[in-house]
Amino acid sequence: ARHLSEMALQRPDEPAVIVQRGGEFETVSFKALDDESGALARGFAEAGIVKGTRTVLMVKPGRAFFAAAFALLKAGAVTVFIDPGLGIRNLGACIEEAEPEAFIGIPKAHAARVLFGWGKRTLKVLVTAGTRLGWGGHSLEALRASGAKGAPFACEESQPGDVAAVLFTSGSTGPSKGAVYTHVIFAKQVEVLREVYGIQPGEMDLSTFPLFALFGPALGMASLVPEMDFTRPAQADPEKLISAAREWKATNLFGSPALLDALGRYGEASGAILPSLRRVICAGAPVRPAVLYRMVKMLGQFTQVFTPYGATEALPVASIGSDEILGETAALTARGQGVCVGRPVGGIEAAVIRITDGPIAWWGDSLRLPPGEIGEIAVRGEVVSKEYLNRPEQTALAKIADDTHGTLWHRMGDVGRVDEQGRLWMCGRKSQRVVTEAGTLFTIPVEGVFNAHPKVRRTALVGVGERGKQRPVLCVELEPTCCGRGQEDLVRRELLDLGARLPLTQGIQD
């Protein structure tokens, strides 16, 4: 939040947030966002949302979202971020686990809260962004107006260990857990993003992921929020995104692999380009080389797609650019070597340790595996969260105490290896490895071999049966242009032949 206030002094009239609605764009300057968030912070305090108040924020990306998020940071409240894409049941479970005292949401979120009883046991303060109906509480606009009557709001002082937010994981490989973020983690993330990607004040970010969009104003970069469903990025309209990026000369794009896949395919079919972009950052899952190749063709000669590696609990861990991927590592991915995620970023130490499914209480160098050997990836550094909220057992499974350095290692839950150049190679989720009687298969190396087939869009390796005796099964999604039973039979035969010639994938079933 202090970064925002600094930008408000240095660039008061420049845009901090630009929101697209119905073809129109609403612009909010750095000074206006700083003033509005300060007024809201004071209004929140008057309503009982103060330092340490755990507060669920369920507001769609837009002016109110940015103002409320920065206001909560200024007030020293603990913001609970939950991805609405988790679904009603999981949302309720996350809220129950978070034990929030305050809830800020749009009318739809409050309606769901009332209907499903979210937070009934702990909630004391309710705030509505929009029209209040039968649930009472405060109006976000009324709190802002009330807070604006006082002197400018000064950020609450924070200590290194003070909690800033709770970010719930995606839950894609298990129950969603709340990673506890301190103010130090957020501050370090701002610093690392600036250094690794060379982001400069005055840039424009086409923001397709709400949480990353919050970093924009802190970096002095305007966040351009396009008209899209942020819970379904693959269904975003590429034409609208490209039009918005061109109109505002966006210099940065942060998106998921699914979003980049849609953009790249549209660009390939239409010839559309994005010459103003200085970089594209893609995170959330491994990015297939074909997706990178199509996206790169839409960019300027010296513009790359960067694929940072990390997780909610530790981000970023490592980074690599499309020049290195397409020029070198993609060929190795197609030969079953896994996906190269680059070298660790500044301040991060990464290690590959022996694979075990149980907790590891204490760190020791005997845990490390030699370069080239596949094991579980573990990391430590200032961007690494130290615990899950109200989940001591999950915390024990994911963290390793390092008494020598007075810190913790986070077990990423991914398997991988380190090459002779010090680069990390990701080989899949530990929980998704397939253990057969003949040995262990890791998902990404196997999938990489078959994904290289020109008629294959993507594949997934799964294990059927009891671990140790699993039958490996490959699920294949073909490219849309490849259809018909004859085509499928041909591709199936080609894939089986491809697998039979590689020792790594022997035993893959039709």
Side-chain angles (χ1 to χ4, degrees):
R2 286 194 176 87
H3 288 292
L4 171 62
S5 297
E6 289 172 9
M7 289 300 118
L9 290 173
Q10 297 172 20
R11 300 169 174 268
D13 300 322
E14 291 187 16
V17 177
I18 302 160
V19 183
Q20 183 180 24
R21 289 286 183 271
E24 300 294 323
F25 293 93
E26 179 188 14
T27 302
V28 185
S29 70
F30 280 104
K31 187 178 187 309
L33 181 59
D34 189 46
D35 289 346
E36 190 169 328
S37 59
L40 265 179
R42 184 180 299 281
F44 286 161
E46 292 170 357
I49 300 175
V50 295
K51 186 173 183 178
T53 303
R54 207 173 292 160
T55 307
V56 172
L57 181 62
M58 297 189 73
V59 177
K60 288 184 177 181
R63 181 171 190 152
F65 171 75
F66 282 87
F70 277 102
L72 290 170
L73 285 167
K74 288 182 175 184
V78 178
T79 311
V80 179
F81 291 104
I82 309 171
D83 182 355
L86 288 175
I88 292 294
R89 179 178 297 178
N90 289 329
L91 280 170
C94 292
I95 292 171
E96 182 66 23
E97 191 166 295
E99 298 180 328
E101 300 165 87
F103 188 103
I104 303 171
I106 58 174
K108 184 178 178 181
H110 277 289
R113 176 187 59 75
V114 172
L115 181 62
F116 297 105
W118 294 345
K120 193 173 182 180
R121 181 172 54 87
T122 58
L123 286 176
K124 299 173 183 176
V125 182
L126 305 175
V127 180
T128 304
T131 305
R132 283 181 298 160
L133 297 175
W135 45 78
H138 304 272
S139 158
L140 188 71
E141 178 56 29
L143 291 181
R144 186 202 64 76
S146 174
K149 296 175 183 177
F153 187 87
C155 286
E156 286 287 342
E157 291 296 326
S158 63
Q159 300 302 313
D162 285 351
V163 177
V166 177
L167 277 63
F168 276 86
T169 61
S170 65
S172 59
T173 56
S176 188
K177 304 175 288 295
V180 176
Y181 266 51
T182 62
H183 289 277
V184 166
I185 292 176
F186 277 136
K188 186 63 177 179
Q189 285 180 323
V190 171
E191 179 185 324
V192 171
L193 288 169
R194 182 184 291 118
E195 290 179 357
V196 172
Y197 299 115
I199 296 172
Q200 301 292 322
E203 289 201 41
M204 178 75 61
D205 174 49
L206 180 61
S207 307
T208 65
F209 183 66
L211 285 184
F212 183 83
L214 289 174
F215 283 99
L219 289 160
M221 178 169 62
S223 290
L224 172 59
V225 183
E227 198 168 29
M228 62 176 283
D229 182 346
F230 294 92
T231 67
R232 295 177 174 83
Q235 297 175 19
D237 185 340
E239 190 172 355
K240 281 187 177 181
L241 294 180
I242 291 170
S243 176
R246 284 176 172 170
E247 181 170 346
W248 291 92
K249 295 181 172 55
T251 60
N252 188 79
L253 165 63
F254 184 100
S256 68
L259 181 109
L260 261 61
D261 189 23
L263 272 179
R265 289 176 186 274
Y266 178 85
E268 188 173 58
S270 66
I273 59 173
L274 291 164
S276 65
L277 288 177
R278 299 178 189 174
R279 74 192 71 78
V280 175
I281 303 173
C282 184
V287 190
R288 289 175 289 115
V291 174
L292 290 177
Y293 177 72
R294 284 191 290 265
M295 193 68 213
V296 165
K297 288 199 296 184
M298 298 179 67
L299 306 176
Q301 182 180 357
F302 301 108
T303 303
Q304 293 193 65
V305 179
F306 294 97
T307 59
Y309 168 66
T312 305
E313 302 91 333
L315 184 73
V317 167
S319 186
I320 188 173
S322 52
D323 284 356
E324 189 172 2
I325 295 172
L326 298 178
E328 179 189 353
T329 67
L332 299 174
T333 296
R335 286 161 47 189
Q337 298 296 305
V339 170
C340 185
V341 295
R343 296 166 181 80
V345 300
I348 281 286
E349 182 180 356
V352 174
I353 64 176
R354 65 175 183 268
I355 296 175
T356 176
D357 293 314
I360 302 173
W362 307 105
W363 178 264
D365 284 340
S366 60
L367 293 172
R368 294 179 186 263
L369 294 176
E373 192 169 335
I374 296 178
E376 184 176 5
I377 299 171
V379 300
R380 67 171 181 165
E382 289 183 271
V383 298
V384 177
S385 62
K386 291 180 170 56
E387 63 178 329
Y388 296 116
L389 182 69
N390 296 329
R391 287 263 186 169
E393 291 184 5
Q394 296 294 328
T395 297
L397 279 171
K399 312 298 179 181
I400 309 173
D402 185 343
D403 284 353
T404 303
H405 299 94
T407 186
L408 288 173
W409 290 77
H410 174 69
R411 300 167 68 182
M412 297 292 289
D414 293 327
V415 290
R417 61 185 176 86
V418 178
D419 67 14
E420 61 280 359
Q421 299 180 46
R423 298 178 300 191
L424 276 173
W425 291 74
M426 219 270 274
C427 297
R429 295 294 291 172
K430 181 179 69 173
S431 62
Q432 294 172 351
R433 69 191 190 276
V434 179
V435 185
T436 74
E437 290 181 327
T440 299
L441 295 169
F442 300 106
T443 55
I444 288 180
V446 171
E447 293 161 5
V449 171
F450 297 101
N451 287 343
H453 192 288
K455 293 181 180 177
V456 170
R457 183 166 189 172
R458 58 181 176 171
T459 62
L461 173 70
V462 297
V464 177
E466 179 187 351
R467 178 166 286 180
K469 299 180 180 179
Q470 286 179 310
R471 176 189 179 192
V473 176
L474 190 75
C475 305
V476 181
E477 179 183 349
L478 299 178
E479 286 287 354
T481 54
C482 181
C483 58
R485 186 68 189 180
Q487 284 266 25
E488 289 182 5
D489 289 342
L490 174 63
V491 174
R492 181 180 287 108
R493 289 195 298 271
E494 291 174 350
L495 293 180
L496 288 169
D497 180 61
L498 177 64
R501 290 185 280 111
L502 292 169
L504 177 71
T505 55
Q506 284 179 356
I508 294 290
Q509 301 295 310
D510 178 6

